[in-house]
């Protein structure tokens, strides 16, 4: 019998998953390219401000900190505008994902049921095979016991034949020596 749990063969199946994390990130960057652009501008402004602080240029440092604030503001505006713009598409995508999840669950349930049915059929076949084997063994034992009984009966009969006889009873004697046969003739002649 197979000891693995029934649905285990479908848990790690790639068909049950549609989008990987990298694919989702790539899709999000394509949908809203201004957000990564704003994040990149913020990081660039901070890097330049750090370089200017090390070199001692205070004017450039202040300018880069202002640019960082503008870049962060741009990123926030891009997030809000993108959210408003893509809201309908996100709702549609969410509905699609919900339907897809429901379909996956149904497929997984159907696969579970098919596997359970297959295992049930397998168990029924094994039980029927065991039953036929037990019946065959029982019939073989019965035949052997009948044959052994007949053999032991014939052996007993063959062993007892000739033992319980009278000395005077005619028939084949157990001892065929001439001396005994002559004695028996004398005995029979006397009586």
């Amino acid at each position: 019998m197979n000891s693995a749990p029934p649905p285990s063969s479908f848990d790690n199946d790639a068909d049950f998953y549609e989008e990987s994390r990298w694919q989702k990130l790539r899709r999000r960057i394509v949908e809203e390219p201004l957000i990564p652009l704003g994040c990149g501008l913020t990081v660039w402004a901070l890097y330049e401000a750090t370089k200017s602080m090390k070199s001692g240029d205070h004017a450039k440092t202040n300018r880069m900190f202002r640019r960082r604030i503008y870049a962060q503001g741009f990123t926030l505006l891009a997030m809000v505008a993108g959210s408003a713009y893509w809201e309908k598409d996100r709702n549609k995508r969410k509905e699609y994902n919900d339907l897809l999840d429901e379909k996956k669950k149904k497929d997984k349930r159907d696969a579970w049921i098919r596997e359970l049915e297959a295992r049930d059929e397998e168990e029924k076949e094994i039980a029927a095979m065991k039953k036929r084997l037990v019946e065959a063994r029982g019939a073989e034992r019965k035949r052997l016991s009948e044959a052994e009984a007949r053999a032991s009966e014939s052996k007993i009969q063959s062993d007892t034949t000739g033992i319980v006889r009278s000395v005077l009873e005619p028939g084949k004697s157990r001892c065929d020596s001439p001396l005994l046969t002559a004695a028996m003739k004398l005995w029979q002649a006397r009586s």
Side-chain angles (χ1 to χ4, degrees):
M1 291 252 190
N2 192 353
S3 63
S8 67
S9 59
F10 302 102
D11 283 345
N12 296 326
D13 194 356
D15 294 337
F16 284 98
Y17 302 100
E18 184 172 305
E19 196 173 47
S20 72
R21 290 180 181 175
W22 291 110
Q23 290 171 337
K24 186 175 182 178
L25 178 67
R26 188 178 322 138
R27 179 179 55 81
R28 285 288 183 84
I29 288 173
V30 169
E31 282 179 0
E32 299 183 45
L34 297 179
I35 294 174
L37 177 67
C39 291
L41 288 174
T42 303
V43 169
W44 172 77
L46 283 172
Y47 174 73
E48 289 295 323
T50 305
K51 265 180 35 179
S52 64
M53 278 195 313
K54 285 184 181 178
S55 67
D57 189 2
H58 297 291
K60 186 176 181 182
T61 303
N62 286 332
R63 198 170 45 240
M64 286 298 129
F65 278 131
R66 279 189 222 110
R67 286 184 183 170
R68 176 193 59 89
I69 292 170
Y70 298 145
Q72 283 179 329
F74 174 76
T75 305
L76 285 173
L77 283 174
M79 287 172 54
V80 170
S83 234
Y85 182 78
W86 293 103
E87 183 176 5
K88 289 180 184 176
D89 288 340
R90 283 199 182 121
N91 288 339
K92 287 180 184 177
R93 182 140 190 100
K94 184 179 180 192
E95 289 175 15
Y96 172 75
N97 285 339
D98 290 344
L99 289 174
L100 192 62
D101 286 342
E102 188 176 315
K103 183 180 181 263
K104 287 178 189 177
K105 287 178 185 177
K106 185 180 182 287
D107 290 345
K108 196 172 186 179
R109 182 181 170 273
D110 291 344
W112 172 293
I113 289 172
R114 280 193 307 271
E115 192 163 333
L116 287 176
E117 287 172 350
R119 286 181 184 221
D120 188 43
E121 289 296 320
E122 183 179 293
E123 287 177 8
K124 285 179 182 177
E125 288 175 12
I126 289 172
M129 198 174 2
K130 283 181 181 179
K131 184 178 179 182
R132 287 192 304 265
L133 184 61
V134 166
E135 289 173 355
R137 284 182 182 168
E140 186 177 336
R141 285 182 186 158
K142 188 175 180 181
R143 273 189 280 124
L144 285 176
S145 64
E146 288 175 0
E148 287 174 355
R150 276 188 251 122
S152 65
E153 254 181 58
S154 64
K155 184 177 180 183
I156 290 171
Q157 285 178 356
S158 67
D159 286 348
T160 58
T161 307
I163 293 177
V164 187
R165 276 197 193 152
S166 169
V167 176
L168 301 175
E169 189 178 286
K172 188 175 180 181
S173 65
R174 293 197 122 209
C175 193
D176 290 334
S177 74
L179 185 63
L180 281 178
T181 52
M184 280 193 64
K185 285 182 185 180
L186 276 173
W187 182 265
Q188 287 173 353
R190 260 180 146 192
S191 29

